Amino acid sequence: MTGVLLLSSAPAASADDIRERQWALDAFAAEDIWEHATGKGVTVAVVDTGVDASHPDLKGSVVSGKDYTGGKGTKDKGRHGTAMASLIAAHGHGPGNSSGMKGLAPGAKIMPLTTQIGSTGSDTHLAIRYAVDHGAEVINLSYGGPAIYGEQKAIEYAISKDVVVVSGTGNTPGKHRQYPAAHPGVVAVGGLGRDGTLWSDSSWGSNTTLVAPAENNVVANRKYESGYALGDGTSDATAYVSAAAALVREKHPDLTAGQVINRLVKSTKPLTDAKGNAPKLPDEKFGYGVVRPYRAVTYDIPAGPEAGPLEQPDKPADSAAGDTDTGSSSSEASNGWMFALGPPIVVIGIVLVLVVGLIVLLVVLITRTKRRNAPQPGMPAGPGPAAPPGWGGGPGPAAPPPFPGQQQAPQGHPGQPQWQAPPAGQFGAPPSAPPGPPNQPPAW
């Protein structure tokens, strides 16, 4: 197994109280957000186990995609992918769409790309490329594990084509590096508990960018009589951030993918300690903080660089499908200065050549000096010309200067660009209790 789905679920009590149980929408002040943006006109690709397009809360919101299972389907019969799609773009049903659940971006469209998540033969890299080539502006990857063949190159291709890529950090407490979240340029999403603190099962160590609700989320699930379930996991958090990106892309269509991410980052609420102190950002556990889509959509935030605030791949990927990929992170360029000249064996060879050249130069200089000082035939012996300063005990350097072109030892490894925290005054302490019932002021 090379990956895991990042959600677990249990049945919701009944269909009647579904909307009341969507605590995250209340915390996000979703009704206020929808006065400005709903994700209309934005397509979010869900690379997952499939999507049940016939669910009443998703009817009409699912566009054509592609099945990479050869028609065999997936082990969970699309339940996980349907759950993610519902958190992103469910629109409810019935009169005024007042029944059922709503996603954070109910106006967005879902492109389902069905793959065998968790399999070594998963075609996620092909699905990602398909999404890019067929108009997706956001790609949701709610799974994690070791790197999968071809996936890194596919993500680089997506980033080079101005697509926002979002993935979860994992559901194993502690520091665990998971892919695709750890690939450069990916918005890596950790989990937030209902109490406003870091979710207890959220993994970190994959360059966490943001956190979002990961506990007790209502999701669409036909397995249960009500048609809904309660889910936990950074899969949910990933879906919410993908939805937030869709909202920003609708409201600010001229922004690049990197600038969309910049708005998400600059509008966050950092988590704090018991004394209300926020650590240096980005924090390894919660990144820049809790995503706040209302502020990301409506606040006056400078666009920033086109590439955005995240570490970028070393170079854009080409458009050819099926590129090989070792599955490792593309961070070799930041792991050591010696790689600037090539692999270590090449560097060692260059150093040996320089050392040998220096020795030869010294031998030649010493030989010439001795010849000048030696008595010539027919000439009286004498003191001869003085040796060059500093070579015979006189003033000057005690050793020859470095050989021309010799590489000097590096003076430290430059770190990633430090991005300033969002402007002061936009943040408060995290809520000390679960958000209140609907129509109460939002906690974030």
Side-chain angles (χ1 to χ4, degrees):
M1 298 289 285
T2 62
V4 293
L5 303 179
L6 306 180
L7 171 142
S8 58
S9 62
S14 69
D16 296 335
D17 63 349
I18 292 302
R19 197 72 57 87
E20 294 180 1
R21 287 171 173 260
Q22 291 194 265
W23 68 272
L25 294 187
D26 294 330
F28 285 139
E31 294 287 348
D32 294 331
I33 297 172
W34 297 334
E35 294 180 3
H36 301 273
T38 63
K40 184 178 180 179
V42 179
T43 299
V44 180
V46 176
V47 180
D48 214 292
T49 63
V51 174
D52 179 4
S54 66
H55 192 286
D57 294 344
L58 288 170
K59 278 185 177 179
S61 293
V62 181
V63 301
S64 61
K66 190 168 182 177
D67 184 351
Y68 287 92
T69 68
K72 298 178 181 178
T74 55
K75 293 180 180 179
D76 78 336
K77 299 181 181 180
R79 294 190 184 103
H80 186 268
T82 301
M84 299 306 101
S86 66
L87 289 170
I88 296 169
H91 48 59
H93 64 276
N97 289 329
S98 59
S99 298
M101 67 171 292
K102 275 195 172 183
L104 181 57
K109 297 296 186 182
I110 297 295
M111 180 188 294
L113 297 166
T114 307
T115 61
Q116 294 287 4
I117 302 297
S119 169
T120 55
S122 176
D123 288 325
T124 54
H125 62 296
L126 299 179
I128 292 169
R129 288 180 179 273
Y130 181 95
V132 175
D133 294 339
H134 290 80
E137 295 180 71
V138 180
I139 298 178
N140 186 87
L141 308 174
S142 287
Y143 58 87
I148 299 175
Y149 170 84
E151 198 169 61
Q152 180 178 346
K153 290 294 185 183
I155 289 172
E156 290 175 1
Y157 176 56
I159 293 171
S160 75
K161 297 297 184 181
D162 199 39
V163 177
V164 178
V165 182
V166 189
S167 184
T169 60
N171 300 340
T172 305
K175 189 172 184 178
H176 305 280
R177 192 170 184 84
Q178 300 226 34
Y179 295 91
H183 287 309
V186 174
V187 181
V189 185
L192 183 77
R194 188 164 180 171
D195 62 356
T197 64
L198 190 71
W199 182 50
S200 59
D201 288 338
S202 183
S203 302
W204 46 278
S206 300
N207 306 321
T208 305
T209 310
L210 303 166
V211 291
E215 185 177 31
N216 290 340
N217 292 304
V218 174
V219 297
N221 191 325
R222 287 281 190 91
K223 177 180 178 181
Y224 304 106
E225 183 178 354
S226 68
Y228 303 93
L230 292 175
D232 294 337
T234 57
S235 276
D236 295 4
T238 301
Y240 276 130
V241 171
S242 291
L247 295 170
V248 175
R249 299 220 85 159
E250 180 202 347
K251 184 66 175 179
H252 304 278
D254 295 332
L255 295 184
T256 66
Q259 290 167 338
V260 169
I261 296 170
N262 182 60
R263 289 189 75 89
L264 296 176
V265 164
K266 292 295 177 64
S267 56
T268 56
K269 174 183 178 180
L271 299 184
T272 58
D273 60 21
K275 297 181 179 179
N277 299 318
K280 183 179 179 180
L281 303 178
D283 180 78
E284 63 180 356
K285 294 183 179 179
F286 62 78
Y288 293 92
V290 183
V291 65
R292 293 200 282 190
Y294 180 83
R295 297 189 179 213
V297 168
T298 64
Y299 273 38
D300 183 12
I301 299 173
E306 290 187 356
L310 303 185
E311 177 189 1
Q312 296 298 301
D314 291 338
K315 59 182 178 180
D318 60 41
S319 60
D323 287 341
T324 58
D325 182 8
T326 62
S328 61
S329 173
S330 63
S331 60
E332 286 87 350
S334 65
N335 288 338
W337 57 272
M338 66 175 64
F339 288 96
L341 296 177
I345 187 65
V346 175
V347 177
I348 293 172
I350 292 173
V351 172
L352 289 176
V353 170
L354 293 175
V355 171
V356 171
L358 182 60
I359 293 173
V360 171
L361 177 62
L362 291 174
V363 171
V364 171
L365 292 174
I366 293 172
T367 301
R368 289 181 178 177
T369 301
K370 288 182 178 181
R371 287 178 179 174
R372 285 196 299 267
N373 293 339
Q376 301 296 320
M379 297 283 295
W391 284 70
F403 186 81
Q406 182 176 359
Q407 184 171 353
Q408 301 300 304
Q411 300 302 311
H413 172 60
Q416 297 181 2
Q418 295 299 313
W419 291 81
Q420 294 183 353
Q426 294 187 15
F427 314 115
S432 58
N439 301 322
Q440 295 298 313
W444 313 328

